[in-house]
């Protein structure tokens, strides 16, 4: 169902962010079904859009997360985990921003990913407790 929705909406969209996000998700789906050539085309296109959007600027934590998604779809789990570690090191704390993201969810169960998410959740919990104790 998701595949059909993305395939229907992707070509006609003029929203570059959607093409980047949806393109990566569709590439992930295609890779899982063995459609490697089309998946590679889409991940390359999404990666190009990502780099163009960044315009060479220093990467923000969110950029490292997007780069991690790209690495996962390319089959580079090690690269993806390095990107996520850098995102966390730079302050990324949206560990559950998209709980249904099949790309990042594919890393669940890897002890390094799970440790990162525990670290991020613990930091969010500490911040929440401080706000409750001290206010904004």
């Amino acid at each position: 169902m998701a595949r059909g929705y993305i395939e229907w909406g992707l070509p006609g969209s003029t929203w570059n962010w959607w093409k980047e996000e949806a393109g990566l998700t569709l590439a992930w789906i295609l890779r899982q079904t063995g459609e490697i050539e089309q998946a590679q085309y889409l991940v390359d296109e999404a990666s190009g859009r990502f780099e163009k959007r960044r315009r060479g600027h220093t990467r923000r934590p969110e950029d490292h997360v997007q780069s991690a998604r790209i690495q996962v779809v390319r089959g580079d789990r090690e690269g993806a985990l390095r990107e996520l570690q850098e995102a966390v090191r730079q302050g990324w704390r949206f560990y559950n921003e998209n709980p249904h993201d099949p790309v990042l969810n594919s890393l669940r169960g890897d002890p390094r990913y799970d440790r990162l998410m525990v670290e991020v959740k613990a930091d969010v919990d500490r911040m929440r407790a401080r706000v409750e104790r001290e206010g904004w």
Side-chain angles (χ1 to χ4, degrees):
M1 184 155 156
R3 177 180 175 168
Y5 173 72
I6 295 170
E7 286 177 328
W8 174 80
L10 192 60
S13 177
T14 57
W15 194 20
N16 282 328
W17 178 85
W18 167 249
K19 285 191 170 191
E20 185 181 317
E21 290 293 312
L24 280 174
T25 302
L26 181 56
W28 171 256
I29 292 167
L30 293 173
R31 188 180 255 326
Q32 301 312 300
T33 59
E35 299 170 69
I36 305 301
E37 189 175 310
Q38 182 65 13
Q40 188 62 47
Y41 170 79
L42 287 170
V43 76
D44 288 347
E45 187 174 278
S47 179
R49 288 179 186 282
F50 169 66
E51 291 302 329
K52 185 177 180 180
R53 178 173 53 83
R54 281 191 345 86
R55 292 188 199 107
H57 294 281
T58 304
R59 289 185 173 196
R60 304 166 301 144
E62 298 81 9
D63 294 335
H64 286 284
V65 173
Q66 186 69 330
S67 185
R69 293 181 80 237
I70 290 167
Q71 297 308 319
V72 167
V73 176
R74 286 193 168 144
D76 182 4
R77 290 175 69 86
E78 297 301 317
L81 289 164
R82 280 192 304 275
E83 290 287 349
L84 285 173
Q85 286 172 335
E86 183 60 23
V88 170
R89 190 188 71 70
Q90 288 186 16
W92 180 71
R93 296 298 179 261
F94 301 105
Y95 70 99
N96 202 22
E97 76 178 329
N98 190 352
H100 304 293
D101 179 358
V103 177
L104 288 181
N105 282 340
S106 72
L107 295 172
R108 287 184 183 190
D110 184 305
R112 297 163 297 175
Y113 176 82
D114 294 343
R115 274 193 303 273
L116 277 173
M117 294 307 104
V118 166
E119 176 185 335
V120 170
K121 184 174 182 334
D123 196 34
V124 168
D125 291 344
R126 281 190 298 276
M127 288 187 278
R128 182 176 290 117
R130 189 184 75 229
V131 167
E132 289 172 359
R133 195 175 51 250
E134 301 172 16
W136 284 102

